[in-house]
Amino acid sequence: MGYDFNFHCPKSVSVAYEFTKDEQILEAFKSAVNQTMREIETESKTRVRQKGADENRVTGNLVWAEFVHFTARPVNGLPDPHLHAHCYVFNTTWDNVERKWKAGQFRDLKAEAPYFEAAFHARFARQLAEVGYRIERTAKSWELAGIPQRVLDEFSQRREQVEQKAKELGITSAKGKDGLAALTRERKQKQLTKTALLDLWNKKISADER
């Protein structure tokens, strides 16, 4: 039916948004997601099999729905802040030559996922810098400057849960850990309101950290 293209914020961004509610963060995130999806769209293709042809044609259009979420999967019933988006792309594209809707060719787009992920983060970091946030490079990505590492660790329960399970099972590959993430996740928490969540999160950090 389709494919889930998802975009995830660094933990510092998720934490900063929840404790400040600075709408510039959310606006920059949505803008970076949209710009990256538009870039992905320009490379969309469909199969061409008419008159003995066996090739792909660039269509340059996709159909998707965006869902923005603000929390991670819960650990022991309590989710952490985690700003992310799911862009569900339907398996269809308009072929302007044949003048009809057809199935898309997604293999190349999925293969280029690391590039699109990097493009998203470059856009997002640049837009946050433009509104005044300082960006710090990390070994694998980037974070907002000035947020204590202890706070980032405190609100990274899911990562710690997966890492601990991977250590127990001797799994070291990223692909293997992705599989563990699906196996260990709890059902989404629905009974806690956002106000109740913020109250619980506030109790996990000190006044100075806040």
Side-chain angles (χ1 to χ4, degrees):
M1 289 296 293
Y3 299 85
D4 181 14
F5 288 68
N6 48 81
F7 301 86
H8 300 267
C9 288
K11 181 58 66 174
S12 59
V13 177
S14 298
V15 170
Y17 177 71
E18 290 301 337
F19 284 98
T20 67
K21 285 299 186 285
D22 182 358
E23 289 303 309
Q24 292 180 111
I25 293 176
L26 187 58
E27 289 169 7
F29 173 67
K30 288 184 174 181
S31 175
V33 169
N34 186 266
Q35 290 169 18
T36 305
M37 285 301 300
R38 296 292 182 183
E39 182 180 6
I40 290 171
E41 186 177 38
T42 64
E43 298 189 20
S44 60
K45 301 174 184 176
T46 190
R47 291 180 178 180
V48 178
R49 298 295 183 267
Q50 289 185 338
K51 300 177 182 179
D54 186 8
E55 59 192 35
N56 295 322
R57 175 186 293 131
V58 174
T59 59
N61 65 82
L62 292 171
V63 181
W64 73 87
E66 178 192 81
F67 303 90
V68 177
H69 295 168
F70 299 90
T71 58
R73 288 278 180 166
V75 175
N76 298 322
L78 181 63
D80 285 330
H82 180 48
L83 177 58
H84 62 289
H86 295 269
C87 293
Y88 188 82
V89 184
F90 294 94
N91 184 15
T92 189
T93 185
W94 175 257
D95 186 335
N96 204 40
V97 176
E98 298 180 29
R99 305 299 297 173
K100 64 181 180 180
W101 291 98
K102 297 166 59 179
Q105 280 286 68
F106 284 83
R107 179 177 296 176
D108 290 346
L109 295 181
K110 298 299 280 187
E112 293 171 6
Y115 162 75
F116 292 122
E117 181 181 16
F120 158 73
H121 280 288
R123 291 180 172 115
F124 190 25
R126 183 181 67 252
Q127 291 183 47
L128 287 176
E130 288 173 354
V131 298
Y133 285 94
R134 287 191 298 117
I135 306 299
E136 285 184 341
R137 297 294 173 185
T138 63
K140 294 183 178 180
S141 187
W142 59 278
E143 297 283 357
L144 297 182
I147 298 182
Q149 184 60 47
R150 198 206 72 80
V151 173
L152 302 184
D153 294 339
E154 183 67 43
F155 291 112
S156 299
Q157 294 183 97
R158 272 292 285 154
R159 185 188 66 189
E160 180 59 30
Q161 182 186 47
V162 173
E163 290 292 341
Q164 184 60 39
K165 193 67 176 178
K167 186 176 180 180
E168 292 174 8
L169 298 175
I171 295 173
T172 58
S173 70
K175 186 175 182 179
K177 291 177 181 179
D178 285 344
L180 284 180
L183 288 173
T184 59
R185 67 187 186 185
E186 298 177 19
R187 298 178 71 87
K188 291 183 178 180
Q189 182 62 259
K190 294 183 179 180
Q191 59 264 39
L192 286 174
T193 66
K194 205 62 185 292
T195 300
L197 269 178
L198 188 58
D199 184 55
L200 290 169
W201 290 337
N202 265 303
K203 293 176 181 177
K204 299 179 75 173
I205 62 175
S206 69
D208 287 342
E209 288 171 335
R210 189 174 305 104

